[in-house]
Amino acid sequence: MNSLAEENYLKALYKLGGKSNEVQTNALADKLSTKASSVTDMMKKLSDKKLVNYEPYKGVSLTKEGYAIAIGVVRKHRLWEVFLVDKLAFKWDEVHEIAEQLEHIQSAELIEKLDEFLDYPKFDPHGDPIPDKNGKIYQHLEVTLSQLEKSEKGIVVGVKEHSKAYLNYLDNLNLMLGTEVFIEDKVEFDSSMKVKINNAEVVTISNQATKNLYIKKLN
Amino acid sequence: MNSLAEENYLKALYKLGGKSNEVQTNALADKLSTKASSVTDMMKKLSDKKLVNYEPYKGVSLTKEGYAIAIGVVRKHRLWEVFLVDKLAFKWDEVHEIAEQLEHIQSAELIEKLDEFLDYPKFDPHGDPIPDKNGKIYQHLEVTLSQLEKSEKGIVVGVKEHSKAYLNYLDNLNLMLGTEVFIEDKVEFDSSMKVKINNAEVVTISNQATKNLYIKKLN
DNA sequence: ACATAAATTTAGACTAGTCTAAAAATATAT
DNA sequence: ATATATTTTTAGACTAGTCTAAATTTATGT
């Protein structure tokens, strides 16, 4: 069994380095809002448990076993987010902190039953893919709104940035998962875009915002 | 905010002493499977936080504020148990350990939404009353099966003992919440009872078992 | 190549929670 | 009433996880 702290380190390592990329001590410290010295201590511990490959001064990466644990935590986080939004009517910008707690509940049976109850969702409320029980993830084709050209059409399938501020900004533009977008125009000056939403109103979206929306192209 | 350990001490204090009864250090240590010295340390801490009334060597009881927290944890535990049984199809003997974890999730909004989702249940899967959001509890009239006389009739409304072994024993007898029981006979020799279940088969129930079943008398 | 900067690790201290063993207080028994 | 048993508290040590400050290693710029 792994402690809550250990699980959080493994999850952060996954978010920064994926299945096998090296991650620097400071990057991990930043991600976890802790200090580099604390990271070093934990890396030694996780290395002893064979959950990470750690060489002093050289960075760290997940072992196969560490990756499996990290993926499991991500799976739990995202399934709970679906539960919170679909069943308890939370909004998509309200669920992160609660899911951060729920992701550490220990019970394999619980999570399988939750998955079934939710009807085996493939994506969480932000469009992030939910690993299946074997750890398989179906990744987005990573096309962002900013990469579409004038007159191209697509559907919003995910967000890259999860802050409350950004999610609220999208809500106010009526942009949510499943929304159809059509590029009316790209403004050269500030790289913002004029976008027609669901064949109705046209809104202007900042470059910053367009870079953080995943789109599935149509036609 | 209170730590997980603090919440567990407060809950145990509630289970042993209710709203205001004094509890001995050793009793608390037993309940929490810890040592008396650990209890003493924690009581000093909770006393400093004004969550318990503690006088060295004299025992300890909950303050109003400590009681409110304890009741909140119990409310969360029991609501999650309802979720696990009603929505995720767990059996009543499988939910305790998971609910022990879920009861510490911090989010007032979560628990209110869960309560609504479950349709404001009054009792958990073992028949224990669920405190409402103001901390009000509707207690059972505490009649146990063992207190019924020959030819009396009642309905099973709760269990006093929550061990897996006991709950399984009841399952095997087809005894669950809502089951109708009719006392065919009381055996003087070992105080066991012959009980007709749902107007069908007659089973023999040990004294030990009859003392742990709450009954609502009929007629 | 060498000085300096940046990143990382080590050393030592702190907190929360736990433990064992000894000391102190309270209860019980004759 | 006094010895004995029981209960509780205190003292000191331990672990997990964190921190600051100093030391060390690696990277960078001229």
Side-chain angles (χ1 to χ4, degrees), chain B residues 75 78-79 82 121-124 128-132 136-137:
Chain B
R75 169 169 161 77
R78 292 179 182 168
L79 280 174
V82 172
K122 292 265 178 299
F123 300 96
D124 80 8
D128 294 314
I130 299 174
D132 72 17
K136 274 235 157 49
I137 313 182

Side-chain angles (χ1 to χ4, degrees), chain A residues 29-56:
Chain A
D30 272 19
K31 185 85 180 173
L32 291 165
S33 300
T34 185
K35 293 293 145 69
S37 55
S38 306
V39 173
T40 300
D41 285 351
M42 185 58 93
M43 289 311 104
K44 286 181 190 162
K45 190 172 155 195
L46 293 178
S47 183
D48 287 349
K49 294 177 92 172
K50 308 242 184 275
L51 299 178
V52 303
N53 305 115
Y54 171 62
E55 271 200 280

Side-chain angles (χ1 to χ4, degrees), chain B residues 3 9 34-35 37-38 41 45 57:
Chain B
S3 71
Y9 274 94
T34 183
K35 293 293 144 68
S37 55
S38 305
D41 285 350
K45 188 171 157 198
Y57 297 102

Side-chain angles (χ1 to χ4, degrees), chain B residues 96-109:
Chain B
H96 185 73
E97 293 74 16
I98 302 176
E100 287 284 302
Q101 299 179 62
L102 287 165
E103 72 189 7
H104 300 292
I105 302 293
Q106 303 290 353
S107 167
E109 206 182 348

Side-chain angles (χ1 to χ4, degrees), chain A residues 140-203:
Chain A
H140 287 311
L141 309 166
E142 305 216 344
V143 181
T144 60
L145 182 56
S146 57
Q147 294 169 310
L148 293 200
E149 297 305 326
K150 187 168 171 171
S151 296
E152 284 191 309
K153 204 160 64 168
I155 287 189
V156 178
V157 295
V159 295
K160 204 164 175 174
E161 145 90 40
H162 293 69
S163 71
K164 261 199 166 88
Y166 182 57
L167 297 176
N168 266 317
Y169 169 87
L170 295 179
D171 274 344
N172 290 334
L173 290 176
N174 254 311
L175 276 169
M176 49 203 77
L177 299 198
T179 298
E180 188 178 305
V181 290
F182 173 81
I183 313 303
E184 288 279 337
D185 209 358
K186 297 183 84 163
V187 181
E188 218 177 318
F189 158 64
D190 62 357
S191 300
S192 68
M193 296 171 114
K194 291 199 190 308
V195 177
K196 181 178 268 187
I197 294 191
N198 280 334
N199 269 309
E201 75 280 47
V202 174
V203 299

